[in-house]
Amino acid sequence: MKTKEDLNHLLRRIDGKGYKAYKDIQGQYVFGQFRLHIDYVQGDPFASPSRLRLRVENRFPEWAWQNRSREVALRDFLARQFARCIRRFAKGQRGSGKSGAVFIDEPGQEILERTAVVLDGAEVEVRFQVGLPAFGRRIAGQQAAAILLDELPAIAGHSLFPEVLDEEKLREHLLANEDADALRSHLEELGLVAFVANGAMLPRASGIDPRPLEGGLPFHSPGNLEVEIQLPNRKVIGMGIPRGITLITGGGYHGKSTLLRAIELGIYNHIPGDGREFVVTNPQAAKIRAEDGRFVEKVNISPFINNLPQSTDTLRFSTQNASGSTSQAANVMEALEAGAQALLIDEDTSATNFMIRDQRMQQLVPKEREPITPFVDKARQLFEELGVSSIVVVGGSGLYFDIADKVLCMVEYQPQDLTERAREIALAHPQGRQEEGGESFGPLPRRIPIGQSIDAFKGRREKIRAFATRSLQFGASEIDLSAVEQLVDNSQLNAIGDALLYARQYMDGRPLAEVLDRVMADIESGALDVLSRRKEGHHAIFRKLELAAALNRLRSLRVE
Ligand code: ADP
Ligand code: MG
C-alpha cells in the first residue's frame, strides 16, 4: 500500500509536466487514519473533476446507525458536515479550469439516501471530487499536494468522526428522521393520506429559496381533524387528511397551494429546522399537473378522453405534443400504471377543461362533441374502485362540493373544516349538470416497454447528465423533467438516468409496473450502488413514480 510520502513524491515528480501525467497518481494511499482512493483522474483541468474516496474507521456508536432511518440520516449529516468543512478548509479554485476546487454532493432541505457518504460495516466512505490543479495545462504539483495532503485530512478530520461533531445536533437529526419515517408508516393504519403537524412552517423563503419563510404563520389543525400520534421519540399532534377526496379551497393568496406543496413533498423527510419535519404523505402520492408539449407513448387515456378529432386513438394515445388536457390525463394514467395511491392536483397548474365542465357548457357543447370527461366525474370512481385518494386545490369552482369527503377552507393560511357548510350549499344550490363519468372508471394502462428503445449512446459513448433538477441528458435525447414536481435534487436525476439503463435488463416482455418494481427491489436490497459500475458519489434515492415519469418522457420510448 502506498503512503502519504509516496503521493508527495509522485506529485513533486510530475510538477510542471503535462496534465496527462496526473494519471500516475491513480490508486490507493494510506495516511494515518485515512485511506485515500484516487479512482479516476480527469483528462484536463476543464473536464469534469477527478473522483476520489476517503475511507475511515466507523467509530460511531451503534445507536447512530442501528436502523435504516438512523443510518440514512447519519450519512446525510456527514455529507453536510463534509460540505461545510470544504468551505472552511479548502482554499478553493486556484489555477485553470476547475483547478483546486473540492466538491461533494451537498444535501438540501430533504434527508435522502445518497451515495456521497456510505457506511459499510466497519468503515465510513465519503465520495467527492477534486479539480486537480494546473496552470494552463501544466500540473501544479505543490498546489495538488496542499489539497490532497493538507486540506483533505483537515476536512475529513473535522467531519467523519463522532468526537468532532455536535452530538446533540446529530442525535436530533437522526431521531427526527426516524420519527418522520415512523409517522409515514402509520398513515395507512390510521386511514390517512397525509398528516400536517401543528406548529409546522409550510411557506418557503421565496420561490427560489426552499428554506422556511421567516415570520410565517405556523400551521394549526381544525379541532375535529386533529390526531395525536405516538412516535419512537416524541408525540405529534396535527391534521390528519383521511383517505378519500379532499378539497382544499379558500380565497386567493390564503395559502392553498402552499399547503398542497408541503403535502407533495411530504413523501420526503426534512431536516430539523425546515418546518416540515412532521408533514408526511402517503409514499405513493403523485402530483399531477398539465404539461402541454410533452411526449406520450401509447397510453390508455380513455377514462378521461374519447372521440378525439380525426379519430385519434385514446386507448393507445401517442403524441409528440400533448395539449393541456391530454397531458394531464396521461399524467394521471401513467401515475396509476406506476402504482400511485393518491393524486395531488392544484388548479394553478391544471387544465380547466380537465378539471370541470358546468351545466351551461354541457348545453352548448353536448357530450358527443366533448372528448373530455372531467376529473370531477372520475375522482369518486378512482377512490371507490381503485382506492386512489385525491387532494384537489380548487378555489374557482364549487363543482367539487358534490364529490368531496372533506372540504378544507384556507383562511389566512389556516385550514377550517367547512365540509358541512359545503354540503348544505350543494343541497341548496344543485348544479343541474349531468354526471358524465359513466359506469366505472375504465381500464388502466398496462404497457410493455421495449428495452432497445432506451439508448444512452451519444456518438460512441454513453452519456447521462442531469441539469438543475429540470432535465436529464440521456444519450442524444433530453428528458424534460421540469413538470415532475416531486423531484427535488439533481442527484435523483443522475440516479434515474442510470436506473433507466439498468431497467433494460427487465424489459423482456414484462409490463412496465413490474419492471419498475424489480428495479426498486434491487435498490432496496443492494443500495443505490447497484445502478452503476463505478462508485458514484452523485446518486440520491427516487421513487418508482419518478423513474416512470422519466421513462415516459423519453421521446425514444417505444412499447409493444
Ligand atoms: P393560494 O394558493 O391560496 O392563492 P399560496 O399558497 O400561493 O396561496 O400563498 C400565497 C402567499 O402566502 C405565498 O407567498 C406564500 O408563501 C404565503 N404564505 C402561505 N402560507 C403562509 C403562512 N402560513 N404564513 C405566511 N405566509 C404564508
Ligand atoms: Mg394557488
Side-chain angles (χ1 to χ4, degrees):
M1 192 79 77
K2 287 178 279 187
T3 63
K4 187 170 183 175
E5 284 67 48
D6 295 330
L7 182 55
N8 202 6
H9 282 302
L10 261 173
L11 290 170
R12 257 194 253 156
R13 207 190 68 216
I14 60 176
D15 184 33
K17 290 197 180 168
Y19 204 84
K20 292 283 184 253
Y22 259 137
K23 294 278 179 198
D24 295 351
I25 70 169
Q26 223 152 279
Q28 277 185 47
Y29 304 86
V30 178
F31 26 132
Q33 50 192 346
F34 306 111
R35 269 204 286 145
L36 176 66
H37 297 244
I38 304 178
D39 289 328
Y40 166 81
V41 170
Q42 65 204 96
D44 70 74
F46 301 92
S48 81
S50 303
R51 292 199 307 273
L52 288 75
R53 286 177 293 141
L54 261 179
R55 293 178 68 91
V56 303
E57 188 193 340
N58 175 12
R59 293 214 297 266
F60 287 91
E62 207 181 318
W63 68 260
W65 44 278
Q66 67 186 170
N67 61 39
R68 180 121 188 93
S69 300
R70 293 187 187 185
E71 187 211 308
V72 166
L74 172 60
R75 289 162 54 192
D76 174 274
F77 193 86
L78 296 181
R80 290 172 200 272
Q81 181 69 14
F82 198 88
R84 246 178 259 127
C85 287
I86 289 174
R87 285 192 282 276
R88 189 166 145 210
F89 295 106
K91 298 201 180 64
Q93 212 261 356
R94 66 206 89 160
S96 40
K98 300 192 174 89
S99 283
V102 183
F103 307 92
I104 187 168
D105 182 27
E106 188 175 5
Q109 295 300 111
E110 290 78 21
I111 300 176
L112 301 175
E113 184 190 358
R114 63 179 69 236
T115 55
V117 175
V118 296
L119 281 180
D120 60 357
E123 290 189 308
V124 176
E125 175 176 301
V126 52
R127 301 171 180 178
F128 55 99
Q129 291 176 300
V130 174
L132 291 172
F135 295 117
R137 287 177 198 279
R138 306 238 153 257
I139 289 177
Q142 277 183 20
Q143 282 72 10
I147 298 166
L148 299 177
L149 306 175
D150 300 333
E151 293 171 24
L152 278 188
I155 294 165
H158 286 84
S159 52
L160 303 181
F161 302 99
E163 61 274 14
V164 297
L165 300 177
D166 181 334
E167 188 184 328
E168 208 167 304
K169 279 219 170 97
L170 175 65
R171 189 179 286 271
E172 189 190 351
H173 200 76
L174 271 51
L175 300 189
N177 199 53
E178 181 177 47
D179 282 345
D181 278 339
L183 182 55
R184 196 174 295 102
S185 72
H186 283 316
L187 290 178
E188 188 162 326
E189 77 210 37
L190 294 167
L192 303 177
V193 277
F195 174 89
V196 185
N198 287 348
M201 183 54 66
L202 309 186
R204 299 295 98 190
S206 83
I208 52 166
D209 183 348
R211 291 173 300 178
L213 175 67
E214 253 176 66
L217 233 73
F219 184 86
H220 198 88
S221 172
N224 63 318
L225 290 179
E226 237 167 39
V227 280
E228 183 179 312
I229 304 173
Q230 182 63 48
L231 303 173
N233 310 295
R234 78 200 77 203
K235 197 158 49 181
V236 287
I237 300 177
M239 177 175 80
I241 298 185
R243 299 175 68 239
I245 299 169
T246 303
L247 181 62
I248 298 175
T249 189
Y253 220 67
H254 277 248
K256 302 183 295 295
S257 297
T258 302
L259 172 59
L260 191 76
R261 183 67 184 148
I263 292 169
E264 285 161 38
L265 297 186
I267 58 169
Y268 301 119
N269 296 346
H270 291 94
I271 53 173
D274 173 87
R276 299 168 297 184
E277 296 92 308
F278 303 108
V279 179
V280 303
T281 304
N282 179 309
Q284 302 307 330
K287 174 68 185 294
I288 299 294
R289 55 169 288 171
E291 188 183 350
D292 54 315
R294 66 157 287 197
F295 160 82
V296 179
E297 165 69 1
K298 297 199 184 82
V299 177
N300 189 340
I301 57 170
S302 65
F304 294 103
I305 303 193
N306 265 305
N307 308 321
L308 286 178
Q310 302 185 315
S311 38
T312 304
D313 187 0
T314 60
L315 295 170
R316 292 153 62 83
F317 177 72
S318 298
T319 180
Q320 291 289 339
N321 187 7
S323 66
S325 58
T326 54
S327 64
Q328 197 163 0
N331 284 347
V332 171
M333 299 310 292
E334 288 170 349
L336 296 174
E337 181 181 36
Q341 293 171 5
L343 305 181
L344 311 175
I345 301 180
D346 192 333
E347 64 184 349
D348 292 351
T349 48
S350 290
T352 305
N353 57 352
F354 178 81
M355 297 301 291
I356 53 174
R357 194 163 122 80
D358 68 12
Q359 181 186 17
R360 288 180 173 174
M361 201 51 79
Q362 286 182 334
Q363 284 180 20
L364 189 73
V365 182
K367 177 71 186 136
E368 308 77 69
R369 276 194 278 122
E370 172 52 272
I372 305 170
T373 304
F375 190 76
V376 70
D377 287 329
K378 300 305 276 183
R380 282 239 67 90
Q381 296 167 342
L382 262 178
F383 181 57
E384 269 141 35
E385 296 166 30
L386 304 169
V388 175
S389 297
S390 299
I391 302 178
V392 188
V393 170
V394 183
S397 163
L399 284 194
Y400 279 79
F401 290 1
D402 294 307
I403 64 154
D405 295 305
K406 276 273 167 292
V407 178
L408 301 177
C409 184
M410 300 303 287
V411 181
E412 295 185 11
Y413 314 133
Q414 300 300 345
Q416 297 181 353
D417 181 354
L418 293 191
T419 310
E420 282 317 312
R421 179 84 188 108
R423 226 164 254 159
E424 285 164 22
I425 294 169
L427 281 176
H429 307 281
Q431 279 296 314
R433 68 186 288 276
Q434 300 294 312
E435 269 188 41
E436 299 180 335
E439 302 274 279
S440 67
F441 181 74
L444 296 185
R446 194 169 182 280
R447 295 175 300 161
I448 296 172
I450 298 171
Q452 290 93 301
S453 67
I454 295 158
D455 177 4
F457 278 95
K458 178 149 199 241
R460 281 165 42 216
R461 286 182 45 210
E462 286 187 329
K463 179 146 189 157
I464 295 175
R465 199 164 158 208
F467 295 96
T469 323
R470 301 181 65 83
S471 84
L472 182 62
Q473 183 188 349
F474 191 80
S477 326
E478 191 198 312
I479 307 178
D480 182 356
L481 294 168
S482 51
V484 182
E485 294 176 298
Q486 286 167 296
L487 285 168
V488 290
D489 192 301
N490 206 45
S491 296
Q492 293 181 303
L493 272 62
N494 281 315
I496 284 173
D498 282 341
L500 289 175
L501 280 186
Y502 181 85
R504 284 190 305 195
Q505 64 186 296
Y506 296 124
M507 295 185 187
D508 50 5
R510 273 175 246 255
L512 178 59
E514 230 178 86
V515 174
L516 299 171
D517 284 335
R518 289 284 173 136
V519 175
M520 299 317 288
D522 288 354
I523 294 172
E524 183 95 359
S525 58
L528 279 166
D529 276 346
V530 300
L531 296 179
S532 144
R533 262 165 287 137
R534 61 190 206 197
K535 307 273 187 197
E536 181 56 66
H538 282 78
H539 277 175
I541 195 72
F542 52 85
R543 303 181 304 168
K544 63 177 172 177
L545 283 160
E546 279 71 39
L547 177 58
L551 182 64
N552 284 321
R553 285 163 182 75
L554 174 63
R555 285 178 185 260
S556 66
L557 173 70
R558 294 296 172 267
V559 305
E560 281 175 19

